[in-house]
C-alpha cells in the first residue's frame, strides 16, 4: 500500500511541477501575436451624425415602400417617396442619428 501511495504522490508532484512551465511560454507567445493582429486590422466604428438619405431610403424600403427616392432634405428632416400596395406614399424621417420616423 505504501508503494502505491509513493507512486501516486510522485506522479502528482510531476504533474503540478510541469503546469507553470508550459503555461508561461504559451501565454507569452499568444499575447504578442494577438496584439499585433488587433493593431493592424482594427477599424473604428463609423460615426453617424444625422440621417443620411441612403439610410432613409433603406428604412423606407424596410417598411414596405418600393421605388423609393429622396424628395427633400432639410437640417431637420429627410423626406422620401415611393409606392406601396395602395399607391404613392411619403415618409418623413428626423435628420438625427438612427433616422426615427416622424410621419408616414
Amino acid at each position: 500500500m505504501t508503494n502505491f501511495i509513493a507512486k501516486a504522490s510522485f506522479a502528482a508532484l510531476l504533474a503540478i511541477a510541469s503546469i507553470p512551465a508550459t503555461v508561461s511560454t504559451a501565454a507569452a507567445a499568444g499575447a504578442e501575436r494577438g496584439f499585433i493582429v488587433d493593431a493592424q486590422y482594427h477599424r473604428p466604428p463609423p460615426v453617424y451624425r444625422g440621417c443620411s438619405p441612403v439610410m432613409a431610403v433603406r428604412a423606407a424600403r424596410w417598411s414596405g415602400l418600393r421605388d423609393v427616392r429622396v424628395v427633400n432634405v432639410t437640417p431637420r428632416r429627410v423626406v422620401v417617396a415611393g409606392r406601396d400596395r395602395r399607391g404613392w406614399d411619403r415618409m418623413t424621417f428626423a435628420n438625427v442619428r438612427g433616422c426615427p420616423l416622424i410621419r408616414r
Side-chain angles (χ1 to χ4, degrees), residues 2-91:
T2 52
N3 191 13
F4 174 75
I5 293 174
K7 287 181 181 180
S9 62
F10 181 71
L13 179 67
L14 282 176
I16 291 173
S18 65
I19 289 174
T22 58
V23 172
S24 64
T25 57
E32 291 176 17
R33 185 174 186 137
F35 175 73
I36 292 171
V37 171
D38 290 341
Q40 289 177 351
Y41 298 108
H42 177 70
R43 291 183 183 164
V47 177
Y48 299 112
R49 290 183 174 82
C51 179
S52 70
V54 174
M55 291 173 63
V57 167
R58 284 183 190 164
R61 283 183 183 159
W62 189 81
S63 296
L65 288 182
R66 294 170 304 195
D67 301 326
V68 182
R69 55 183 64 107
V70 177
V71 177
N72 191 9
V73 178
T74 66
R76 290 183 179 250
R77 61 192 174 118
V78 178
V79 181
V80 295
R83 295 182 58 92
D84 62 354
R85 61 178 180 257
R86 292 180 298 244
W88 288 99
D89 198 7
R90 183 178 279 219
M91 294 180 78

Side-chain angles (χ1 to χ4, degrees), residues 5 68 81 92 95 99 102:
I5 293 174
V68 182
T92 306
N95 198 355
C99 289
I102 297 175

